[in-house]
Amino acid sequence: MITKLPSYSVTVSREDNLWVAVVADLPGGATDVQHFADLDTEVRDLIAGLTDADSEDFWIEWHYMQGGHEYTLALLRWQETERQVTEMLAFVAERDNARRVAIRSMREASLSFRDIADVIGLSHQRVAQLVGGAGRQAS
């Protein structure tokens, strides 16, 4: 049987140089932090303490408000884009490493820079640079 997790609506605003989070319909459900990055942990700890639940046993629906203006959707879109970029950068690093290993292996097989460049899709000059830098790069 799948149990639906409870959900809590949390409104975040900036007051007196603090990020203030208020949990709707939960008496005593308010906290503040200096740094935005600490909000999730602090709010989860607050809700868990007030409800005697584990901090991962509920959903949080975040709402970001300031001066009557809600910027939730814009912030969530940025956070998702930031997550995607971070993922993409990890893939790029993985690709670069795989390319270095492939170039090194083809070089060990006595292929010329031009032949390797033809396979990899780079200029022979760039292949030579990567081979020259391969000893300085982690594999």
mmCIF file with all atom_site columns, all heavy atoms in Angstrom, residues 104-131:
data_model
loop_
_atom_site.group_PDB
_atom_site.id
_atom_site.type_symbol
_atom_site.label_atom_id
_atom_site.label_alt_id
_atom_site.label_comp_id
_atom_site.label_asym_id
_atom_site.label_entity_id
_atom_site.label_seq_id
_atom_site.pdbx_PDB_ins_code
_atom_site.Cartn_x
_atom_site.Cartn_y
_atom_site.Cartn_z
_atom_site.occupancy
_atom_site.B_iso_or_equiv
_atom_site.pdbx_formal_charge
_atom_site.auth_seq_id
_atom_site.auth_comp_id
_atom_site.auth_asym_id
_atom_site.auth_atom_id
_atom_site.pdbx_PDB_model_num
ATOM 1   N N   . ARG A 1 104 ? 44.820 9.058  -26.056 1.00 0.00 ? 104 ARG A N   1
ATOM 2   C CA  . ARG A 1 104 ? 46.012 8.407  -25.510 1.00 0.00 ? 104 ARG A CA  1
ATOM 3   C C   . ARG A 1 104 ? 46.112 6.964  -26.028 1.00 0.00 ? 104 ARG A C   1
ATOM 4   O O   . ARG A 1 104 ? 47.179 6.509  -26.441 1.00 0.00 ? 104 ARG A O   1
ATOM 5   C CB  . ARG A 1 104 ? 45.965 8.428  -23.985 1.00 0.00 ? 104 ARG A CB  1
ATOM 6   C CG  . ARG A 1 104 ? 47.258 8.012  -23.332 1.00 0.00 ? 104 ARG A CG  1
ATOM 7   C CD  . ARG A 1 104 ? 47.254 8.150  -21.808 1.00 0.00 ? 104 ARG A CD  1
ATOM 8   N NE  . ARG A 1 104 ? 46.738 9.437  -21.386 1.00 0.00 ? 104 ARG A NE  1
ATOM 9   C CZ  . ARG A 1 104 ? 45.724 9.594  -20.518 1.00 0.00 ? 104 ARG A CZ  1
ATOM 10  N NH1 . ARG A 1 104 ? 45.124 8.554  -19.992 1.00 0.00 ? 104 ARG A NH1 1
ATOM 11  N NH2 . ARG A 1 104 ? 45.316 10.801 -20.178 1.00 0.00 ? 104 ARG A NH2 1
ATOM 12  N N   . SER A 1 105 ? 44.979 6.259  -26.031 1.00 0.00 ? 105 SER A N   1
ATOM 13  C CA  . SER A 1 105 ? 44.977 4.875  -26.493 1.00 0.00 ? 105 SER A CA  1
ATOM 14  C C   . SER A 1 105 ? 45.316 4.778  -27.983 1.00 0.00 ? 105 SER A C   1
ATOM 15  O O   . SER A 1 105 ? 46.096 3.907  -28.399 1.00 0.00 ? 105 SER A O   1
ATOM 16  C CB  . SER A 1 105 ? 43.598 4.258  -26.227 1.00 0.00 ? 105 SER A CB  1
ATOM 17  O OG  . SER A 1 105 ? 43.577 2.907  -26.620 1.00 0.00 ? 105 SER A OG  1
ATOM 18  N N   . MET A 1 106 ? 44.751 5.682  -28.793 1.00 0.00 ? 106 MET A N   1
ATOM 19  C CA  . MET A 1 106 ? 45.067 5.670  -30.227 1.00 0.00 ? 106 MET A CA  1
ATOM 20  C C   . MET A 1 106 ? 46.528 6.042  -30.464 1.00 0.00 ? 106 MET A C   1
ATOM 21  O O   . MET A 1 106 ? 47.181 5.508  -31.371 1.00 0.00 ? 106 MET A O   1
ATOM 22  C CB  . MET A 1 106 ? 44.120 6.612  -30.989 1.00 0.00 ? 106 MET A CB  1
ATOM 23  C CG  . MET A 1 106 ? 42.719 6.043  -31.140 1.00 0.00 ? 106 MET A CG  1
ATOM 24  S SD  . MET A 1 106 ? 41.639 7.085  -32.144 1.00 0.00 ? 106 MET A SD  1
ATOM 25  C CE  . MET A 1 106 ? 41.109 8.291  -30.942 1.00 0.00 ? 106 MET A CE  1
ATOM 26  N N   . ARG A 1 107 ? 47.054 6.933  -29.665 1.00 0.00 ? 107 ARG A N   1
ATOM 27  C CA  . ARG A 1 107 ? 48.460 7.336  -29.785 1.00 0.00 ? 107 ARG A CA  1
ATOM 28  C C   . ARG A 1 107 ? 49.370 6.149  -29.449 1.00 0.00 ? 107 ARG A C   1
ATOM 29  O O   . ARG A 1 107 ? 50.367 5.911  -30.121 1.00 0.00 ? 107 ARG A O   1
ATOM 30  C CB  . ARG A 1 107 ? 48.697 8.500  -28.839 1.00 0.00 ? 107 ARG A CB  1
ATOM 31  C CG  . ARG A 1 107 ? 49.690 9.516  -29.178 1.00 0.00 ? 107 ARG A CG  1
ATOM 32  C CD  . ARG A 1 107 ? 49.752 9.968  -30.593 1.00 0.00 ? 107 ARG A CD  1
ATOM 33  N NE  . ARG A 1 107 ? 51.084 10.520 -30.722 1.00 0.00 ? 107 ARG A NE  1
ATOM 34  C CZ  . ARG A 1 107 ? 51.799 10.541 -31.791 1.00 0.00 ? 107 ARG A CZ  1
ATOM 35  N NH1 . ARG A 1 107 ? 51.328 10.084 -32.915 1.00 0.00 ? 107 ARG A NH1 1
ATOM 36  N NH2 . ARG A 1 107 ? 53.013 11.026 -31.782 1.00 0.00 ? 107 ARG A NH2 1
ATOM 37  N N   . GLU A 1 108 ? 48.989 5.389  -28.394 1.00 0.00 ? 108 GLU A N   1
ATOM 38  C CA  . GLU A 1 108 ? 49.749 4.199  -28.016 1.00 0.00 ? 108 GLU A CA  1
ATOM 39  C C   . GLU A 1 108 ? 49.692 3.137  -29.112 1.00 0.00 ? 108 GLU A C   1
ATOM 40  O O   . GLU A 1 108 ? 50.580 2.307  -29.223 1.00 0.00 ? 108 GLU A O   1
ATOM 41  C CB  . GLU A 1 108 ? 49.235 3.634  -26.686 1.00 0.00 ? 108 GLU A CB  1
ATOM 42  C CG  . GLU A 1 108 ? 49.580 4.503  -25.502 1.00 0.00 ? 108 GLU A CG  1
ATOM 43  C CD  . GLU A 1 108 ? 48.852 4.097  -24.219 1.00 0.00 ? 108 GLU A CD  1
ATOM 44  O OE1 . GLU A 1 108 ? 48.064 3.131  -24.245 1.00 0.00 ? 108 GLU A OE1 1
ATOM 45  O OE2 . GLU A 1 108 ? 49.076 4.777  -23.200 1.00 0.00 ? 108 GLU A OE2 1
ATOM 46  N N   . ALA A 1 109 ? 48.632 3.188  -29.946 1.00 0.00 ? 109 ALA A N   1
ATOM 47  C CA  . ALA A 1 109 ? 48.501 2.268  -31.084 1.00 0.00 ? 109 ALA A CA  1
ATOM 48  C C   . ALA A 1 109 ? 49.239 2.808  -32.303 1.00 0.00 ? 109 ALA A C   1
ATOM 49  O O   . ALA A 1 109 ? 49.084 2.294  -33.410 1.00 0.00 ? 109 ALA A O   1
ATOM 50  C CB  . ALA A 1 109 ? 47.028 2.047  -31.405 1.00 0.00 ? 109 ALA A CB  1
ATOM 51  N N   . SER A 1 110 ? 50.024 3.884  -32.104 1.00 0.00 ? 110 SER A N   1
ATOM 52  C CA  . SER A 1 110 ? 50.873 4.491  -33.140 1.00 0.00 ? 110 SER A CA  1
ATOM 53  C C   . SER A 1 110 ? 50.103 5.208  -34.242 1.00 0.00 ? 110 SER A C   1
ATOM 54  O O   . SER A 1 110 ? 50.617 5.369  -35.357 1.00 0.00 ? 110 SER A O   1
ATOM 55  C CB  . SER A 1 110 ? 51.818 3.447  -33.763 1.00 0.00 ? 110 SER A CB  1
ATOM 56  O OG  . SER A 1 110 ? 52.654 2.915  -32.762 1.00 0.00 ? 110 SER A OG  1
ATOM 57  N N   . LEU A 1 111 ? 48.877 5.651  -33.974 1.00 0.00 ? 111 LEU A N   1
ATOM 58  C CA  . LEU A 1 111 ? 48.159 6.463  -34.955 1.00 0.00 ? 111 LEU A CA  1
ATOM 59  C C   . LEU A 1 111 ? 48.716 7.881  -34.922 1.00 0.00 ? 111 LEU A C   1
ATOM 60  O O   . LEU A 1 111 ? 49.113 8.389  -33.865 1.00 0.00 ? 111 LEU A O   1
ATOM 61  C CB  . LEU A 1 111 ? 46.664 6.486  -34.656 1.00 0.00 ? 111 LEU A CB  1
ATOM 62  C CG  . LEU A 1 111 ? 45.907 5.178  -34.929 1.00 0.00 ? 111 LEU A CG  1
ATOM 63  C CD1 . LEU A 1 111 ? 44.493 5.264  -34.380 1.00 0.00 ? 111 LEU A CD1 1
ATOM 64  C CD2 . LEU A 1 111 ? 45.881 4.873  -36.421 1.00 0.00 ? 111 LEU A CD2 1
ATOM 65  N N   . SER A 1 112 ? 48.720 8.518  -36.072 1.00 0.00 ? 112 SER A N   1
ATOM 66  C CA  . SER A 1 112 ? 49.230 9.893  -36.164 1.00 0.00 ? 112 SER A CA  1
ATOM 67  C C   . SER A 1 112 ? 48.205 10.870 -35.591 1.00 0.00 ? 112 SER A C   1
ATOM 68  O O   . SER A 1 112 ? 47.027 10.544 -35.434 1.00 0.00 ? 112 SER A O   1
ATOM 69  C CB  . SER A 1 112 ? 49.504 10.252 -37.627 1.00 0.00 ? 112 SER A CB  1
ATOM 70  O OG  . SER A 1 112 ? 48.269 10.390 -38.329 1.00 0.00 ? 112 SER A OG  1
ATOM 71  N N   . PHE A 1 113 ? 48.678 12.085 -35.305 1.00 0.00 ? 113 PHE A N   1
ATOM 72  C CA  . PHE A 1 113 ? 47.773 13.128 -34.842 1.00 0.00 ? 113 PHE A CA  1
ATOM 73  C C   . PHE A 1 113 ? 46.652 13.365 -35.860 1.00 0.00 ? 113 PHE A C   1
ATOM 74  O O   . PHE A 1 113 ? 45.509 13.570 -35.502 1.00 0.00 ? 113 PHE A O   1
ATOM 75  C CB  . PHE A 1 113 ? 48.514 14.438 -34.573 1.00 0.00 ? 113 PHE A CB  1
ATOM 76  C CG  . PHE A 1 113 ? 49.441 14.392 -33.388 1.00 0.00 ? 113 PHE A CG  1
ATOM 77  C CD1 . PHE A 1 113 ? 50.547 15.226 -33.338 1.00 0.00 ? 113 PHE A CD1 1
ATOM 78  C CD2 . PHE A 1 113 ? 49.225 13.535 -32.323 1.00 0.00 ? 113 PHE A CD2 1
ATOM 79  C CE1 . PHE A 1 113 ? 51.414 15.212 -32.244 1.00 0.00 ? 113 PHE A CE1 1
ATOM 80  C CE2 . PHE A 1 113 ? 50.070 13.504 -31.223 1.00 0.00 ? 113 PHE A CE2 1
ATOM 81  C CZ  . PHE A 1 113 ? 51.171 14.344 -31.196 1.00 0.00 ? 113 PHE A CZ  1
ATOM 82  N N   . ARG A 1 114 ? 47.002 13.326 -37.135 1.00 0.00 ? 114 ARG A N   1
ATOM 83  C CA  . ARG A 1 114 ? 46.007 13.546 -38.192 1.00 0.00 ? 114 ARG A CA  1
ATOM 84  C C   . ARG A 1 114 ? 44.956 12.429 -38.204 1.00 0.00 ? 114 ARG A C   1
ATOM 85  O O   . ARG A 1 114 ? 43.774 12.683 -38.375 1.00 0.00 ? 114 ARG A O   1
ATOM 86  C CB  . ARG A 1 114 ? 46.676 13.683 -39.555 1.00 0.00 ? 114 ARG A CB  1
ATOM 87  C CG  . ARG A 1 114 ? 47.403 15.000 -39.726 1.00 0.00 ? 114 ARG A CG  1
ATOM 88  C CD  . ARG A 1 114 ? 47.949 15.178 -41.146 1.00 0.00 ? 114 ARG A CD  1
ATOM 89  N NE  . ARG A 1 114 ? 48.809 16.345 -41.230 1.00 0.00 ? 114 ARG A NE  1
ATOM 90  C CZ  . ARG A 1 114 ? 48.368 17.600 -41.339 1.00 0.00 ? 114 ARG A CZ  1
ATOM 91  N NH1 . ARG A 1 114 ? 47.078 17.832 -41.387 1.00 0.00 ? 114 ARG A NH1 1
ATOM 92  N NH2 . ARG A 1 114 ? 49.221 18.599 -41.394 1.00 0.00 ? 114 ARG A NH2 1
ATOM 93  N N   . ASP A 1 115 ? 45.404 11.177 -38.044 1.00 0.00 ? 115 ASP A N   1
ATOM 94  C CA  . ASP A 1 115 ? 44.462 10.059 -38.018 1.00 0.00 ? 115 ASP A CA  1
ATOM 95  C C   . ASP A 1 115 ? 43.528 10.162 -36.801 1.00 0.00 ? 115 ASP A C   1
ATOM 96  O O   . ASP A 1 115 ? 42.319 9.964  -36.907 1.00 0.00 ? 115 ASP A O   1
ATOM 97  C CB  . ASP A 1 115 ? 45.207 8.718  -37.990 1.00 0.00 ? 115 ASP A CB  1
ATOM 98  C CG  . ASP A 1 115 ? 45.940 8.424  -39.286 1.00 0.00 ? 115 ASP A CG  1
ATOM 99  O OD1 . ASP A 1 115 ? 45.559 8.995  -40.342 1.00 0.00 ? 115 ASP A OD1 1
ATOM 100 O OD2 . ASP A 1 115 ? 46.887 7.611  -39.258 1.00 0.00 ? 115 ASP A OD2 1
ATOM 101 N N   . ILE A 1 116 ? 44.118 10.476 -35.668 1.00 0.00 ? 116 ILE A N   1
ATOM 102 C CA  . ILE A 1 116 ? 43.313 10.625 -34.443 1.00 0.00 ? 116 ILE A CA  1
ATOM 103 C C   . ILE A 1 116 ? 42.336 11.783 -34.608 1.00 0.00 ? 116 ILE A C   1
ATOM 104 O O   . ILE A 1 116 ? 41.161 11.670 -34.251 1.00 0.00 ? 116 ILE A O   1
ATOM 105 C CB  . ILE A 1 116 ? 44.228 10.844 -33.214 1.00 0.00 ? 116 ILE A CB  1
ATOM 106 C CG1 . ILE A 1 116 ? 45.086 9.603  -32.973 1.00 0.00 ? 116 ILE A CG1 1
ATOM 107 C CG2 . ILE A 1 116 ? 43.391 11.174 -31.983 1.00 0.00 ? 116 ILE A CG2 1
ATOM 108 C CD1 . ILE A 1 116 ? 46.195 9.797  -31.959 1.00 0.00 ? 116 ILE A CD1 1
ATOM 109 N N   . ALA A 1 117 ? 42.809 12.881 -35.186 1.00 0.00 ? 117 ALA A N   1
ATOM 110 C CA  . ALA A 1 117 ? 41.945 14.046 -35.401 1.00 0.00 ? 117 ALA A CA  1
ATOM 111 C C   . ALA A 1 117 ? 40.755 13.682 -36.280 1.00 0.00 ? 117 ALA A C   1
ATOM 112 O O   . ALA A 1 117 ? 39.631 14.128 -36.043 1.00 0.00 ? 117 ALA A O   1
ATOM 113 C CB  . ALA A 1 117 ? 42.745 15.182 -36.025 1.00 0.00 ? 117 ALA A CB  1
ATOM 114 N N   . ASP A 1 118 ? 40.996 12.842 -37.285 1.00 0.00 ? 118 ASP A N   1
ATOM 115 C CA  . ASP A 1 118 ? 39.932 12.411 -38.178 1.00 0.00 ? 118 ASP A CA  1
ATOM 116 C C   . ASP A 1 118 ? 38.872 11.616 -37.411 1.00 0.00 ? 118 ASP A C   1
ATOM 117 O O   . ASP A 1 118 ? 37.675 11.785 -37.621 1.00 0.00 ? 118 ASP A O   1
ATOM 118 C CB  . ASP A 1 118 ? 40.519 11.567 -39.318 1.00 0.00 ? 118 ASP A CB  1
ATOM 119 C CG  . ASP A 1 118 ? 39.487 11.206 -40.371 1.00 0.00 ? 118 ASP A CG  1
ATOM 120 O OD1 . ASP A 1 118 ? 38.675 12.086 -40.739 1.00 0.00 ? 118 ASP A OD1 1
ATOM 121 O OD2 . ASP A 1 118 ? 39.498 10.046 -40.821 1.00 0.00 ? 118 ASP A OD2 1
ATOM 122 N N   . VAL A 1 119 ? 39.312 10.782 -36.484 1.00 0.00 ? 119 VAL A N   1
ATOM 123 C CA  . VAL A 1 119 ? 38.391 9.970  -35.683 1.00 0.00 ? 119 VAL A CA  1
ATOM 124 C C   . VAL A 1 119 ? 37.632 10.824 -34.677 1.00 0.00 ? 119 VAL A C   1
ATOM 125 O O   . VAL A 1 119 ? 36.406 10.737 -34.549 1.00 0.00 ? 119 VAL A O   1
ATOM 126 C CB  . VAL A 1 119 ? 39.154 8.841  -34.941 1.00 0.00 ? 119 VAL A CB  1
ATOM 127 C CG1 . VAL A 1 119 ? 38.245 8.116  -33.965 1.00 0.00 ? 119 VAL A CG1 1
ATOM 128 C CG2 . VAL A 1 119 ? 39.773 7.877  -35.937 1.00 0.00 ? 119 VAL A CG2 1
ATOM 129 N N   . ILE A 1 120 ? 38.356 11.670 -33.962 1.00 0.00 ? 120 ILE A N   1
ATOM 130 C CA  . ILE A 1 120 ? 37.790 12.448 -32.857 1.00 0.00 ? 120 ILE A CA  1
ATOM 131 C C   . ILE A 1 120 ? 37.002 13.657 -33.340 1.00 0.00 ? 120 ILE A C   1
ATOM 132 O O   . ILE A 1 120 ? 36.097 14.126 -32.661 1.00 0.00 ? 120 ILE A O   1
ATOM 133 C CB  . ILE A 1 120 ? 38.912 12.893 -31.884 1.00 0.00 ? 120 ILE A CB  1
ATOM 134 C CG1 . ILE A 1 120 ? 39.630 11.670 -31.311 1.00 0.00 ? 120 ILE A CG1 1
ATOM 135 C CG2 . ILE A 1 120 ? 38.387 13.768 -30.756 1.00 0.00 ? 120 ILE A CG2 1
ATOM 136 C CD1 . ILE A 1 120 ? 38.788 10.816 -30.408 1.00 0.00 ? 120 ILE A CD1 1
ATOM 137 N N   . GLY A 1 121 ? 37.347 14.188 -34.503 1.00 0.00 ? 121 GLY A N   1
ATOM 138 C CA  . GLY A 1 121 ? 36.641 15.360 -35.016 1.00 0.00 ? 121 GLY A CA  1
ATOM 139 C C   . GLY A 1 121 ? 37.238 16.669 -34.528 1.00 0.00 ? 121 GLY A C   1
ATOM 140 O O   . GLY A 1 121 ? 36.521 17.662 -34.357 1.00 0.00 ? 121 GLY A O   1
ATOM 141 N N   . LEU A 1 122 ? 38.537 16.642 -34.265 1.00 0.00 ? 122 LEU A N   1
ATOM 142 C CA  . LEU A 1 122 ? 39.264 17.846 -33.877 1.00 0.00 ? 122 LEU A CA  1
ATOM 143 C C   . LEU A 1 122 ? 40.363 18.097 -34.898 1.00 0.00 ? 122 LEU A C   1
ATOM 144 O O   . LEU A 1 122 ? 40.652 17.247 -35.728 1.00 0.00 ? 122 LEU A O   1
ATOM 145 C CB  . LEU A 1 122 ? 39.903 17.666 -32.490 1.00 0.00 ? 122 LEU A CB  1
ATOM 146 C CG  . LEU A 1 122 ? 38.965 17.422 -31.310 1.00 0.00 ? 122 LEU A CG  1
ATOM 147 C CD1 . LEU A 1 122 ? 39.785 17.100 -30.075 1.00 0.00 ? 122 LEU A CD1 1
ATOM 148 C CD2 . LEU A 1 122 ? 38.086 18.632 -31.072 1.00 0.00 ? 122 LEU A CD2 1
ATOM 149 N N   . SER A 1 123 ? 40.996 19.248 -34.809 1.00 0.00 ? 123 SER A N   1
ATOM 150 C CA  . SER A 1 123 ? 42.154 19.501 -35.669 1.00 0.00 ? 123 SER A CA  1
ATOM 151 C C   . SER A 1 123 ? 43.340 18.689 -35.143 1.00 0.00 ? 123 SER A C   1
ATOM 152 O O   . SER A 1 123 ? 43.398 18.361 -33.950 1.00 0.00 ? 123 SER A O   1
ATOM 153 C CB  . SER A 1 123 ? 42.504 20.990 -35.671 1.00 0.00 ? 123 SER A CB  1
ATOM 154 O OG  . SER A 1 123 ? 43.043 21.359 -34.417 1.00 0.00 ? 123 SER A OG  1
ATOM 155 N N   . HIS A 1 124 ? 44.279 18.386 -36.030 1.00 0.00 ? 124 HIS A N   1
ATOM 156 C CA  . HIS A 1 124 ? 45.456 17.646 -35.579 1.00 0.00 ? 124 HIS A CA  1
ATOM 157 C C   . HIS A 1 124 ? 46.268 18.468 -34.576 1.00 0.00 ? 124 HIS A C   1
ATOM 158 O O   . HIS A 1 124 ? 46.905 17.926 -33.678 1.00 0.00 ? 124 HIS A O   1
ATOM 159 C CB  . HIS A 1 124 ? 46.327 17.182 -36.770 1.00 0.00 ? 124 HIS A CB  1
ATOM 160 C CG  . HIS A 1 124 ? 46.984 18.285 -37.523 1.00 0.00 ? 124 HIS A CG  1
ATOM 161 N ND1 . HIS A 1 124 ? 46.347 19.010 -38.499 1.00 0.00 ? 124 HIS A ND1 1
ATOM 162 C CD2 . HIS A 1 124 ? 48.248 18.782 -37.426 1.00 0.00 ? 124 HIS A CD2 1
ATOM 163 C CE1 . HIS A 1 124 ? 47.180 19.913 -38.979 1.00 0.00 ? 124 HIS A CE1 1
ATOM 164 N NE2 . HIS A 1 124 ? 48.339 19.801 -38.352 1.00 0.00 ? 124 HIS A NE2 1
ATOM 165 N N   . GLN A 1 125 ? 46.196 19.811 -34.709 1.00 0.00 ? 125 GLN A N   1
ATOM 166 C CA  . GLN A 1 125 ? 46.894 20.672 -33.748 1.00 0.00 ? 125 GLN A CA  1
ATOM 167 C C   . GLN A 1 125 ? 46.287 20.525 -32.341 1.00 0.00 ? 125 GLN A C   1
ATOM 168 O O   . GLN A 1 125 ? 47.011 20.467 -31.348 1.00 0.00 ? 125 GLN A O   1
ATOM 169 C CB  . GLN A 1 125 ? 46.842 22.148 -34.190 1.00 0.00 ? 125 GLN A CB  1
ATOM 170 C CG  . GLN A 1 125 ? 47.563 22.426 -35.484 1.00 0.00 ? 125 GLN A CG  1
ATOM 171 C CD  . GLN A 1 125 ? 46.617 22.408 -36.688 1.00 0.00 ? 125 GLN A CD  1
ATOM 172 O OE1 . GLN A 1 125 ? 45.572 21.773 -36.665 1.00 0.00 ? 125 GLN A OE1 1
ATOM 173 N NE2 . GLN A 1 125 ? 47.006 23.107 -37.756 1.00 0.00 ? 125 GLN A NE2 1
ATOM 174 N N   . ARG A 1 126 ? 44.962 20.467 -32.286 1.00 0.00 ? 126 ARG A N   1
ATOM 175 C CA  . ARG A 1 126 ? 44.301 20.329 -30.986 1.00 0.00 ? 126 ARG A CA  1
ATOM 176 C C   . ARG A 1 126 ? 44.610 18.965 -30.378 1.00 0.00 ? 126 ARG A C   1
ATOM 177 O O   . ARG A 1 126 ? 44.822 18.849 -29.167 1.00 0.00 ? 126 ARG A O   1
ATOM 178 C CB  . ARG A 1 126 ? 42.788 20.533 -31.127 1.00 0.00 ? 126 ARG A CB  1
ATOM 179 C CG  . ARG A 1 126 ? 42.038 20.434 -29.826 1.00 0.00 ? 126 ARG A CG  1
ATOM 180 C CD  . ARG A 1 126 ? 42.427 21.565 -28.877 1.00 0.00 ? 126 ARG A CD  1
ATOM 181 N NE  . ARG A 1 126 ? 41.704 21.453 -27.624 1.00 0.00 ? 126 ARG A NE  1
ATOM 182 C CZ  . ARG A 1 126 ? 42.261 21.568 -26.430 1.00 0.00 ? 126 ARG A CZ  1
ATOM 183 N NH1 . ARG A 1 126 ? 43.543 21.853 -26.316 1.00 0.00 ? 126 ARG A NH1 1
ATOM 184 N NH2 . ARG A 1 126 ? 41.539 21.432 -25.344 1.00 0.00 ? 126 ARG A NH2 1
ATOM 185 N N   . VAL A 1 127 ? 44.629 17.933 -31.205 1.00 0.00 ? 127 VAL A N   1
ATOM 186 C CA  . VAL A 1 127 ? 44.982 16.602 -30.711 1.00 0.00 ? 127 VAL A CA  1
ATOM 187 C C   . VAL A 1 127 ? 46.391 16.636 -30.124 1.00 0.00 ? 127 VAL A C   1
ATOM 188 O O   . VAL A 1 127 ? 46.639 16.108 -29.038 1.00 0.00 ? 127 VAL A O   1
ATOM 189 C CB  . VAL A 1 127 ? 44.862 15.536 -31.819 1.00 0.00 ? 127 VAL A CB  1
ATOM 190 C CG1 . VAL A 1 127 ? 45.466 14.207 -31.374 1.00 0.00 ? 127 VAL A CG1 1
ATOM 191 C CG2 . VAL A 1 127 ? 43.397 15.351 -32.223 1.00 0.00 ? 127 VAL A CG2 1
ATOM 192 N N   . ALA A 1 128 ? 47.319 17.280 -30.820 1.00 0.00 ? 128 ALA A N   1
ATOM 193 C CA  . ALA A 1 128 ? 48.696 17.386 -30.322 1.00 0.00 ? 128 ALA A CA  1
ATOM 194 C C   . ALA A 1 128 ? 48.725 18.114 -28.979 1.00 0.00 ? 128 ALA A C   1
ATOM 195 O O   . ALA A 1 128 ? 49.459 17.718 -28.068 1.00 0.00 ? 128 ALA A O   1
ATOM 196 C CB  . ALA A 1 128 ? 49.576 18.099 -31.345 1.00 0.00 ? 128 ALA A CB  1
ATOM 197 N N   . GLN A 1 129 ? 47.906 19.177 -28.844 1.00 0.00 ? 129 GLN A N   1
ATOM 198 C CA  . GLN A 1 129 ? 47.843 19.888 -27.573 1.00 0.00 ? 129 GLN A CA  1
ATOM 199 C C   . GLN A 1 129 ? 47.330 18.969 -26.457 1.00 0.00 ? 129 GLN A C   1
ATOM 200 O O   . GLN A 1 129 ? 47.850 18.979 -25.343 1.00 0.00 ? 129 GLN A O   1
ATOM 201 C CB  . GLN A 1 129 ? 46.918 21.107 -27.686 1.00 0.00 ? 129 GLN A CB  1
ATOM 202 C CG  . GLN A 1 129 ? 47.479 22.244 -28.482 1.00 0.00 ? 129 GLN A CG  1
ATOM 203 C CD  . GLN A 1 129 ? 46.450 23.358 -28.666 1.00 0.00 ? 129 GLN A CD  1
ATOM 204 O OE1 . GLN A 1 129 ? 45.241 23.126 -28.601 1.00 0.00 ? 129 GLN A OE1 1
ATOM 205 N NE2 . GLN A 1 129 ? 46.936 24.570 -28.909 1.00 0.00 ? 129 GLN A NE2 1
ATOM 206 N N   . LEU A 1 130 ? 46.275 18.227 -26.765 1.00 0.00 ? 130 LEU A N   1
ATOM 207 C CA  . LEU A 1 130 ? 45.694 17.346 -25.757 1.00 0.00 ? 130 LEU A CA  1
ATOM 208 C C   . LEU A 1 130 ? 46.663 16.228 -25.375 1.00 0.00 ? 130 LEU A C   1
ATOM 209 O O   . LEU A 1 130 ? 46.755 15.859 -24.204 1.00 0.00 ? 130 LEU A O   1
ATOM 210 C CB  . LEU A 1 130 ? 44.373 16.751 -26.257 1.00 0.00 ? 130 LEU A CB  1
ATOM 211 C CG  . LEU A 1 130 ? 43.232 17.762 -26.388 1.00 0.00 ? 130 LEU A CG  1
ATOM 212 C CD1 . LEU A 1 130 ? 42.029 17.134 -27.077 1.00 0.00 ? 130 LEU A CD1 1
ATOM 213 C CD2 . LEU A 1 130 ? 42.837 18.338 -25.043 1.00 0.00 ? 130 LEU A CD2 1
ATOM 214 N N   . VAL A 1 131 ? 47.410 15.716 -26.330 1.00 0.00 ? 131 VAL A N   1
ATOM 215 C CA  . VAL A 1 131 ? 48.413 14.694 -26.044 1.00 0.00 ? 131 VAL A CA  1
ATOM 216 C C   . VAL A 1 131 ? 49.512 15.305 -25.173 1.00 0.00 ? 131 VAL A C   1
ATOM 217 O O   . VAL A 1 131 ? 49.950 14.715 -24.193 1.00 0.00 ? 131 VAL A O   1
ATOM 218 C CB  . VAL A 1 131 ? 49.007 14.088 -27.330 1.00 0.00 ? 131 VAL A CB  1
ATOM 219 C CG1 . VAL A 1 131 ? 50.249 13.270 -27.031 1.00 0.00 ? 131 VAL A CG1 1
ATOM 220 C CG2 . VAL A 1 131 ? 47.953 13.243 -28.031 1.00 0.00 ? 131 VAL A CG2 1
#
